[in-house]
Amino acid sequence: MTPTEKILNHFEKISAIPRGTKNEAALRQWLIDWASSFGFVSKTDPTGNLVIYIPASVGREKSPTLILQGHLDMVCQKTPDSNHDFMKDPIHLIRDGDWVKADKTTLGADNGIAIAIAMALVEDKSVSHSALELLFTVEEETGLVGADTLDPSLLTAKVLINLDSEEDGVFTIGCAGGGSTMFTLPVTWSPPEKNSISFELKVGGLQGGHSGGDIHKHRGNANKIMARVLDELQRNIPLRLASLHGGTARNAIPRDAEAVFTCAENDSARCSEIVRTFEKFLQSEFRGVEQGPYLTLSRRQSPVETAASLEESKRSVQFLMALPNGVAEMSAEVEGFVETSNNIGIVEMRKDGLFVVSNQRSSVITRLEELFRRTEAIGMLAGAICERTQVFPPWQPNMKSALLKKCVETYENLFGRKPKVELSHGGLECGIISDRCGGMDTISLGPTIINPHSPDEALFIPSLSRTWELLKTLLLIEEF
């Protein structure tokens, strides 16, 4: 069996274990059992982070210990027609030529492939290595929680290779910081007027994607599109919102959204006309970027029991219209690099009001704070209750890193071309782990993954062999 097939074999087993954020316990126990079967010691901290200690190969006992790191959790996204239950169903893998995909769900190569690569390296007796510490963190996808609470006593090494980057031949040496703001805009509920009818409005046909890596690609955000359509409707027709839902993850660009609203029966034809016209506008706007988008408006047969008032519905829509979304600032120092951005990841009408999660990122900590305050100001002006999550700082690059120098030299010697050295607008755990452990030399790399955080996520199989050869050669180095 080739190294690539070994990695994919492990990845398939990992994919059989549900592992959405906060549901990592089963995978963690599976890895502990795997470690025990080889006689490897493992430890966990109170948050659930796992470290597996791998003894050095014969003759390498005096070489410095190295950390290989990834995260246990995955983003759980699926297509509207999927019945997948992320709490109990395995991810079904599909081989499509040079690609591995999933069946109408996120693949979870972000970051299950890191676990699979580490396992394959350890099991291969031909791979010579120093002592290794395999660090697998929890709750990475909801704010780098595991890294932020990591018990530093679990680790002894001062060199860390993170396997959470998503492009072969690219070394990431810094990333944006970020966090989220959660809003609740209070709403009261009352029965709709007796002569009213109800409609269900859906936004779909969008790609979605990673709110860090894809935010600059002009993709449609279903929550913002829904707000625009509802705004157009309510400027022409009095309507009351009965429900609103879009997105399931703060760090994924939402692909779908749906709303239920009531209006007078004699406004029915006007509603349909407005939605048809607006759909044409959207398709023109997103030409060359999205295959869709599409809007569907259907009259509900079952009556709506309660809805927000006309004024509260108007304020809810205006609040969503006002919230920033997308790229806020491009870097003035690095051409083509997104510095600051915002993603309206989750929108949901609840009993106590309209709940919204806005995810902010920036590689400049003061710009990040400014964006937080701007979104909070909009929320307060609308009358919403605002709550900020834990903020993780940017990972600052170290261009003099010995690890970076060795990685670049090794890649060029192996493959005859220079790798790219970049910053990432997505969040990575390297900087936080380094700070928690009193300073480390860190880098992030990995095989090619496209469209992470969406059901279109796919892993490029040929890139696995290059990642394997790179890591195998790096493990031979006696000192970084």
Side-chain angles (χ1 to χ4, degrees):
M1 188 181 294
T2 66
T4 293
E5 291 302 324
K6 289 178 183 178
I7 294 169
L8 291 175
N9 184 51
H10 282 305
F11 181 58
E12 186 170 12
K13 293 176 182 177
I14 292 165
S15 299
I17 305 171
R19 52 193 169 90
T21 304
K22 296 185 181 295
N23 189 36
E24 305 101 331
L27 178 58
R28 180 172 56 246
Q29 186 58 53
W30 182 78
L31 286 167
I32 291 171
D33 293 342
W34 169 80
S36 296
S37 71
F38 287 93
F40 302 145
V41 174
S42 62
K43 293 181 181 179
T44 59
D45 65 12
T47 306
N49 298 307
L50 171 66
V51 179
I52 300 173
Y53 303 92
I54 313 299
S57 301
V58 176
R60 300 291 306 282
E61 293 84 0
K62 294 183 180 181
S63 301
T65 304
L66 180 69
I67 300 168
L68 298 179
Q69 189 262 323
H71 59 85
L72 296 173
D73 60 327
M74 64 174 282
V75 168
C76 299
Q77 293 276 294
K78 60 183 181 180
T79 60
D81 60 336
S82 171
N83 295 318
H84 188 91
D85 185 342
F86 284 103
M87 292 300 294
K88 64 180 183 181
D89 295 339
I91 301 294
H92 295 289
L93 306 185
I94 299 171
R95 293 280 288 263
D96 182 8
D98 284 339
W99 296 89
V100 177
K101 304 176 182 179
D103 183 14
K104 300 181 180 180
T105 70
T106 34
L107 175 63
D110 174 15
N111 190 222
I113 202 63
I115 304 170
I117 290 171
M119 293 173 70
L121 282 167
V122 168
E123 289 184 358
D124 192 327
K125 299 301 181 183
S126 70
V127 176
S128 175
H129 58 79
S130 63
L132 300 175
E133 294 172 343
L134 309 184
L135 170 60
F136 302 124
T137 52
V138 296
E139 299 184 45
E140 190 270 354
E141 297 292 6
T142 56
L144 313 186
V145 174
D148 195 47
T149 57
L150 174 68
D151 179 356
S153 69
L154 292 179
L155 299 170
T156 64
K158 289 299 181 180
V159 177
L160 180 147
I161 299 177
N162 168 280
L163 302 175
D164 195 17
S165 281
E166 291 152 359
E167 187 176 353
D168 170 42
V170 174
F171 296 139
T172 303
I173 59 169
C175 74
S180 297
T181 310
M182 296 175 290
F183 302 95
T184 301
L185 184 64
V187 168
T188 56
W189 302 92
S190 61
E193 292 74 10
K194 290 184 179 180
N195 65 340
S196 67
I197 59 173
S198 59
F199 281 104
E200 182 175 66
L201 174 65
K202 292 185 178 182
V203 176
L206 300 167
Q207 295 181 73
H210 192 299
S211 68
D214 298 320
I215 199 71
H216 62 293
K217 296 179 180 177
H218 309 288
R219 295 178 181 178
N221 180 308
N223 288 332
K224 292 296 287 186
I225 290 174
M226 176 63 78
R228 290 177 60 192
V229 182
L230 290 172
D231 179 66
E232 185 68 17
L233 284 166
Q234 72 177 10
R235 287 172 183 267
N236 292 273
I237 297 165
L239 62 82
R240 295 177 60 185
L241 281 174
S243 71
L244 179 59
H245 175 77
T248 59
R250 62 173 187 89
N251 54 359
I253 302 170
R255 299 156 52 94
D256 309 283
E258 57 185 53
V260 174
F261 64 88
T262 67
C263 65
E265 187 163 10
N266 58 8
D267 287 326
S268 175
R270 181 69 177 134
C271 277
S272 298
E273 179 187 351
I274 290 170
V275 171
R276 284 196 302 269
T277 301
F278 209 89
E279 182 182 54
K280 293 178 182 177
F281 292 158
L282 291 172
Q283 290 172 348
S284 177
E285 286 180 19
F286 290 100
R287 185 181 295 120
V289 179
E290 301 279 7
Q291 294 297 316
Y294 65 78
L295 304 176
T296 60
L297 182 71
S298 56
R299 184 166 174 174
R300 283 170 54 97
Q301 299 304 312
S302 56
V304 169
E305 295 183 1
T306 60
S309 68
L310 288 172
E311 185 58 35
E312 289 173 332
S313 298
K314 182 178 181 181
R315 184 164 63 249
S316 296
V317 173
Q318 289 179 336
F319 173 50
L320 291 175
M321 285 287 291
L323 282 174
N325 183 79
V327 175
E329 294 283 350
M330 296 298 291
S331 173
E333 297 179 339
V334 183
E335 185 177 357
F337 178 66
V338 179
E339 178 203 89
T340 307
S341 73
N342 199 86
N343 179 58
I344 308 302
I346 300 173
V347 171
E348 183 180 0
M349 271 286 195
R350 298 178 173 179
K351 287 185 178 180
D352 59 345
L354 177 65
F355 177 72
V356 180
V357 180
S358 171
N359 184 223
Q360 291 83 33
R361 300 177 188 268
S362 183
S363 54
V364 179
I365 193 68
T366 51
R367 285 271 172 82
L368 179 62
E369 179 63 25
E370 188 273 337
L371 188 55
F372 272 120
R373 294 188 183 189
R374 179 149 46 107
T375 55
E376 288 169 345
I378 293 169
M380 288 186 282
L381 286 170
I385 300 166
C386 310
E387 181 181 356
R388 193 187 297 191
T389 66
Q390 178 75 25
V391 178
F392 62 91
W395 169 28
Q396 298 297 337
N398 175 17
M399 296 307 297
K400 296 181 180 180
S401 159
L403 175 60
L404 171 61
K405 181 180 179 182
K406 292 290 186 181
C407 286
V408 169
E409 289 175 351
T410 301
Y411 192 92
E412 189 171 5
N413 289 336
L414 283 172
F415 308 117
R417 59 186 175 92
K418 288 184 178 292
K420 295 180 181 178
V421 178
E422 294 184 351
L423 306 179
S424 170
H425 191 58
L428 289 166
E429 299 165 289
C430 304
I432 295 174
I433 294 171
S434 175
D435 289 344
R436 295 277 306 168
C437 297
M440 288 181 175
D441 200 354
T442 63
I443 199 167
S444 182
L445 57 91
T448 297
I449 301 169
I450 60 171
N451 300 316
H453 296 194
S454 86
D456 295 323
E457 181 184 1
L459 168 69
F460 188 51
I461 298 170
S463 67
L464 284 175
S465 63
R466 290 189 290 273
T467 302
W468 172 272
E469 289 301 322
L470 174 63
L471 287 169
K472 181 179 176 180
T473 308
L474 287 173
L475 292 179
L476 289 171
I477 296 174
E478 289 292 336
E479 188 175 350
F480 289 98

